[in-house]
Amino acid sequence: MTKPIKRRDFMRNSAVAGLTLAGTKSSVLQFPNIMVQSGVKPIVISSANGNKFKNGGDMTAVQKAFTMITQGADVLDAVIAGVNIVELDPLDDSVGYGGLPNADGVVQLDSSCMHGPKKRAGAVAALEGVRTPSLVARAVLESTDHHLLVGKGAQSFARNMGFNIEDDLNTDHSRQLWLEWKRRTDPAHYLDPKARAEVWRREGLKMVEEGLVDREHYYGTINCDGINSKGEICGVTTTSGLAWKIPGRVGDSPILGAGLYVDGAVGAAGSTGRGEANLYNLCSFLIVEEMRRGAHPKDAGMEALKRIKANTIEKRLLNSKGNPNFGINFYILNARGQYAGVTMYPGASFAICNESGPQTLACEALLSGKPND
Ligand code: ASP
């Protein structure tokens, strides 16, 4: 017996069929990738820290964002309110207040945000003194004709927009860790710049191995993307960047197409991990374009990881197996509410929140083993 198909179910089933068919070249031509814009189940996806830190409150980032989305808030406002919890929580030393500082002991923050339906974007890089760079990124989106403000200019802009500028965003914890790093690397100041950069990296990673710095926080960031029942998608990425970075170093997080990319009709992708690898390959853009051609979020993410692996050829970045010796993760959501978390090596996780509540799930890995095998 055949049951009558409700319009909503028909659209959902056709969408899934379209996804499967779109795997072949000819079907891409026959079935242009028109995304279903209604009947989507709201969902929020983020890096794992989005379901860990609460800043003394009762909700994690993904819970907060999901709650706001289902209450009808703008999706960008919701995901930013979510990441604000992590930015403000001193316990997450990879984002916002208390983020691990640069080589001079100064916390410099990067953030970007994109609004799918409005097709607008804003970002800040190397911003000092503001605990919530994602809110400054949103102010760039809302109040300027630009997409990216950096350094002192970004700080002046924030001051003019009424943000409180603080002298120092270190916590005792981040300052102690910086002092430890400084103590270990001081003798290295007499090395040539290339050798010094290597020592900085080696000592930093040693502090990770010794458990002084959380592996997730040496590189560490929060990316959070959400979709509401109208199919509206927005995303935000915010970070203190690479621990002990050269002052002024900007990673992938504030760069559109790298740390974040949103196309309201297709989906969103964001990243945590070695920003340089992502900047070189502009993976969030690549992932969204793969989805536009019909790829499932997981397959789109795997394509990006393969691209990174193929373009990583410098010996210092390879392990004994000839594979990348660093971690990188992508968090991906399409306009149908399908999602994936992918990673170079097993061990990374990601967070989601949907009608069943918040969950932390394992990312699918491209390679087996560990970065430093
Ligand atoms: N991707 C960020 C950066 O390179 C850091 C991170 O996610 O760990 O600045």
Side-chain angles (χ1 to χ4, degrees):
M1 204 173 91
T2 47
K3 274 202 252 157
I5 299 176
K6 285 193 206 130
R7 183 169 177 272
R8 197 169 143 155
D9 291 341
F10 172 72
M11 286 178 79
R12 220 181 268 146
N13 294 340
S14 325
V16 173
L19 253 189
T20 318
L21 286 167
T24 64
K25 238 185 185 160
S26 60
S27 63
V28 172
L29 297 176
Q30 284 164 20
F31 301 96
N33 209 15
I34 299 163
M35 290 296 181
V36 179
Q37 292 291 326
S38 63
V40 178
K41 288 193 174 166
I43 185 164
V44 172
I45 180 170
S46 84
S47 39
N49 47 357
N51 195 28
K52 184 169 178 193
F53 297 98
K54 295 185 174 175
N55 192 30
D58 53 5
M59 275 197 232
T60 61
V62 287
Q63 282 176 296
K64 175 81 182 173
F66 182 76
T67 305
M68 285 180 65
I69 286 174
T70 51
Q71 286 169 349
D74 177 81
V75 178
L76 186 60
D77 289 348
V79 291
I80 288 181
V83 301
N84 287 162
I85 294 172
V86 184
E87 289 175 322
L88 294 170
D89 193 329
L91 296 178
D92 188 322
D93 56 17
S94 73
V95 178
Y97 174 58
L100 293 178
N102 66 20
D104 286 348
V106 177
V107 180
Q108 282 186 334
L109 304 174
D110 303 332
S111 179
S112 60
C113 62
M114 292 185 79
H115 198 292
K118 291 185 184 162
K119 296 197 180 293
R120 294 186 69 167
V124 288
L127 172 65
E128 296 175 14
V130 182
R131 293 186 184 205
T132 51
S134 63
L135 291 176
V136 187
R138 187 177 64 187
V140 173
L141 175 152
E142 279 171 352
S143 306
T144 78
D145 180 34
H146 312 305
H147 288 330
L148 175 62
L149 297 180
V150 307
K152 283 277 173 237
Q155 193 187 57
S156 304
F157 168 77
R159 186 181 291 108
N160 292 340
M161 296 302 291
F163 284 89
N164 183 31
I165 312 293
E166 297 176 63
D167 277 346
D168 186 4
L169 294 185
N170 276 293
T171 54
D172 280 349
H173 171 74
S174 63
R175 192 175 295 104
Q176 284 311 318
L177 285 173
W178 177 77
L179 282 170
E180 173 64 19
W181 176 82
K182 195 75 184 150
R183 189 185 63 70
R184 291 174 178 224
T185 56
D186 242 359
H189 281 141
Y190 298 97
L191 297 175
D192 69 80
K194 209 169 155 205
R196 186 167 63 213
E198 272 312 295
V199 174
W200 283 16
R201 193 171 125 82
R202 197 177 59 233
E203 288 301 325
L205 290 174
K206 225 192 268 170
M207 287 173 71
V208 173
E209 298 304 328
E210 289 172 23
L212 282 171
V213 176
D214 189 329
R215 181 174 297 282
E216 295 280 321
H217 294 176
Y218 181 65
Y219 291 106
T221 296
I222 181 166
N223 161 249
C224 186
D225 313 298
I227 186 167
N228 64 11
S229 58
K230 290 186 257 175
E232 294 172 336
I233 307 169
C234 296
V236 59
T237 300
T238 176
T239 189
S240 53
L242 175 65
W244 336 129
K245 60 195 173 186
I246 293 176
R249 176 268 189 189
V250 170
D252 57 329
S253 306
I255 305 301
L256 306 181
L260 176 70
Y261 198 71
V262 178
D263 183 314
V266 179
S271 178
T272 62
R274 185 178 154 79
E276 282 68 16
N278 188 14
L279 276 172
Y280 192 85
N281 296 284
L282 290 181
C283 289
S284 292
F285 183 72
L286 172 68
I287 289 168
V288 170
E289 291 309 297
E290 286 292 317
M291 293 198 290
R292 193 191 304 282
R293 285 193 279 273
H296 184 276
K298 181 190 148 196
D299 298 327
M302 288 297 169
E303 268 314 302
L305 291 167
K306 286 180 196 159
R307 180 75 59 92
I308 290 176
K309 180 175 173 309
N311 281 336
T312 303
I313 57 166
E314 280 185 74
K315 204 162 172 241
R316 68 189 180 92
L317 296 173
L318 298 173
N319 63 18
S320 61
K321 293 183 176 160
N323 289 325
N325 62 11
F326 51 83
I328 185 153
N329 317 314
F330 295 99
Y331 314 97
I332 309 158
L333 177 64
N334 72 13
R336 296 177 177 120
Q338 296 169 311
Y339 61 86
V342 301
T343 180
M344 193 64 88
Y345 291 98
S349 41
F350 70 107
I352 61 155
C353 190
N354 58 16
E355 60 194 359
S356 313
Q359 287 180 70
T360 301
L361 304 165
C363 291
E364 305 239 18
L366 177 69
L367 303 174
S368 57
K370 294 199 193 97
N372 49 5
D373 274 349

